Amino acid sequence: GAEGSEGARERRSAAVTIGFEKRPVTLTPTHPFRIARSEHAAYHHWLVRVEHDGDEGWGEAAPSRRYGETAESVAAALGELLPLIGDDPYATDAIERRLDGHLWENASAKTAISAALYDLIGRRHGLPLYRWLGLDLSRVPPTSFTIGIAEPEEMRRKVEEAAPYPILKIKMGFSGDVEVLERIRAMTDKPIRVDANEGWTRADALARLPALEDLGVELLEQPVPAADREGLALVSGATAIPVVADESCRTSADLAGLLVVVGGVNVKLAKTGSIGEAVRLM
C-alpha cells in the first residue's frame, strides 16, 4: 500500500509541466573591469527561474562576447531553449543533449537553465549542489581575487581593497604590465597568479617569463591566443610556472589536445554550457 501511494505521487509529479521565466539583471562592479581584450562598466545578465510541483530553482546567464554571446542573444536563445526542458527536472543529461541538439554554442544561456534545474533539485531534497554531485569540499583548492587592468595607482588601490583575500590574480596583456606587477609584488607577499587573456604573442610571453619567475608568480593563465596550442606548449616548456588554459579549453572535447600541453585548465560554467559538462571536464 505504501509503495503504491509513493508510486502514484511520483507519477503525478512526473506529469507536472516545468514552468519557467527569464528576467534581465544588470550588475555594476565597484570598478570597471578591464582585461586584455575588453572592458566592462556593467554586466547585462539574465536570470532564469524554473518551477516544478511547488519547487523552484534559479540560474544565471553571464554572456561573453569572446564566445559569441550578448544579452540580446541570450534572451533570444532562452526563448527557444526554455520550452524544450520537458516535464522531468531530474533528466539533466537528456535535457543537456536536447538543448545542444537545438542550438549549438550559446553556453551561458544553457548554463542558466542547467543551474536552475540543479537548484530546484537541491532545494527539493535539502541538499547543496556539491552534496548532490558527490563532491568533497575539503579537496577544493583556494580561489583567487582578480585585479583587472587599470592605471597603476588604481591597481594599487584595488590590491589594498582586496586585503581580505589570500590569493591575487593579476590581469596582464598590456604595455607596461610587468612594471605594474612589480609594483603589486612590492605591496604584498600573497601568492600571485597572472592571466594574460590571450594578450601576448609567443615572443611577448617568453620575454616576460624571467620576470614572472623572479616575482614568484604561482601560475600563468592563457598567455597566448586560444588556437595557438604550439605556443602554449612552447611557453609551458620554457618555465617551471604551471601554465593554465582558459580560452583554449571550453568543454571536455578540448582536453585531448591539452593534456600534454598545459598544467591545468580553467573550468567556467559560461564556457561549458551546463553544470554536468563542468563536472565532466573537472
Side-chain angles (χ1 to χ4, degrees):
E3 289 181 358
S5 298
E6 181 65 27
R9 283 198 297 273
E10 289 181 359
R11 285 193 296 273
R12 285 199 302 273
S13 179
V16 175
T17 300
I18 296 177
F20 52 81
E21 64 170 316
K22 65 180 190 290
R23 300 178 185 176
V25 59
T26 298
L27 306 176
T28 305
T30 303
H31 302 279
F33 188 70
R34 178 183 162 205
I35 63 175
R37 62 172 172 266
S38 63
E39 181 173 356
H40 294 275
Y43 292 88
H44 303 289
H45 292 186
W46 283 87
L47 299 178
V48 167
R49 187 185 72 87
V50 296
E51 189 275 333
H52 181 264
D53 207 14
D55 297 309
E56 70 173 11
W58 290 82
E60 181 179 359
S64 170
R65 287 187 180 275
R66 172 62 181 78
Y67 304 111
E69 287 188 285
T70 64
E72 293 76 19
S73 74
V74 166
L78 289 174
E80 294 191 35
L81 296 172
L82 283 167
L84 302 177
I85 295 175
D87 298 329
D88 183 3
Y90 295 90
T92 52
D93 286 349
I95 292 170
E96 288 175 26
R97 289 193 297 272
R98 194 153 58 242
L99 300 188
D100 285 341
H102 184 74
L103 283 180
W104 196 237
E105 301 287 345
N106 300 281
S108 76
K110 295 173 185 176
T111 290
I113 295 173
S114 173
L117 291 169
Y118 275 102
D119 188 39
L120 184 151
I121 293 169
R123 290 170 186 258
R124 173 172 291 172
H125 296 281
L127 284 174
L129 181 58
Y130 80 92
R131 291 284 292 156
W132 183 262
L133 297 174
L135 303 178
D136 181 0
L137 286 190
S138 70
R139 297 184 61 197
V140 176
T143 188
S144 53
F145 184 90
T146 299
I147 306 294
I149 295 172
E151 294 300 318
E153 180 60 23
E154 184 179 347
M155 291 188 79
R156 185 189 65 79
R157 288 197 302 271
K158 289 181 178 182
V159 172
E160 291 176 345
E161 292 170 5
Y165 300 93
I167 303 173
L168 300 179
K169 182 162 80 170
I170 311 301
K171 294 292 189 179
M172 297 183 70
F174 59 94
S175 177
D177 50 10
V178 171
E179 289 78 7
V180 171
L181 186 64
E182 290 172 341
R183 295 187 186 188
I184 291 173
R185 171 49 80 205
M187 294 176 59
T188 179
D189 60 359
K190 293 178 181 179
I192 286 180
R193 302 168 181 176
V194 161
D195 185 2
N197 286 110
E198 307 178 273
W200 294 333
T201 64
R202 297 181 186 182
D204 290 336
L206 293 172
R208 284 163 170 75
L209 288 180
L212 299 186
E213 292 169 352
D214 289 344
L215 294 170
V217 168
E218 187 179 57
L219 62 81
L220 172 58
E221 189 174 339
Q222 200 63 50
V224 297
D228 188 7
R229 298 288 177 84
E230 291 183 359
L232 277 175
L234 181 66
V235 175
S236 183
T239 180
I241 300 173
V243 173
V244 173
D246 181 2
E247 287 87 347
S248 293
C249 185
R250 298 172 66 177
T251 70
S252 56
D254 297 312
L255 279 181
L258 290 168
L259 287 176
V260 297
V261 174
V262 293
V265 299
N266 189 339
V267 181
K268 291 180 181 176
L269 292 177
K271 295 189 300 182
T272 63
S274 72
I275 287 175
E277 178 60 18
V279 173
R280 287 188 289 274
L281 178 54
M282 287 189 286

